Amino acid sequence: MHVLEAANGPLDGKRWQFAKTIEIGRDATLVQAALAVDSAVSRKHARIERSGDELVLCDLNSSNGTLMRGEAIAGATPLQPGELFLVGRTLLRVLPAS
């Protein structure tokens, strides 16, 4: 089990728990982690999947892209627990559930 956590802005500290997959976006009817207060986030923006013991981050053809280490990601990108990434203007990270 993992937790997606917002690390800045009005959602700072907000957490969404997930087991295998979580989608991130602005539209709460389409995704599990809704960032409705961030207008730079697409309705369906990004997805995190657990593959075995690894986490993978994918951009879902969002308007503003998904950034990790200051670069827009292309395709499935390995994500380390605790590593920050940017969706719209919101910094996020995945942590093991406690």
Side-chain angles (χ1 to χ4, degrees):
M1 195 68 82
H2 288 87
V3 174
L4 175 66
E5 179 181 67
N8 72 333
L11 294 173
D12 190 13
K14 171 82 173 150
R15 291 177 162 214
W16 300 267
Q17 195 166 331
F18 70 100
K20 179 137 177 81
T21 303
I22 189 166
E23 289 191 342
I24 306 159
R26 196 176 66 242
D27 188 337
T29 64
L30 299 175
V31 300
Q32 297 80 44
L35 307 176
V37 297
D38 189 341
S39 62
V41 174
S42 295
R43 289 174 52 209
K44 280 183 82 168
H45 197 107
R47 175 177 38 244
I48 300 168
E49 297 177 340
R50 195 179 84 213
S51 177
D53 291 336
E54 295 187 357
L55 295 167
V56 177
L57 176 64
C58 302
D59 184 77
L60 300 177
N61 297 316
S62 65
S63 298
N64 295 315
T66 301
L67 285 81
M68 187 185 325
R69 299 178 211 114
E71 301 285 329
I73 65 168
T77 303
L79 177 66
Q80 298 300 314
E83 186 171 17
L84 292 168
F85 61 97
L86 191 65
V87 170
R89 293 183 199 97
T90 304
L91 275 173
L92 299 165
R93 65 180 156 225
V94 175
L95 303 169
S98 50

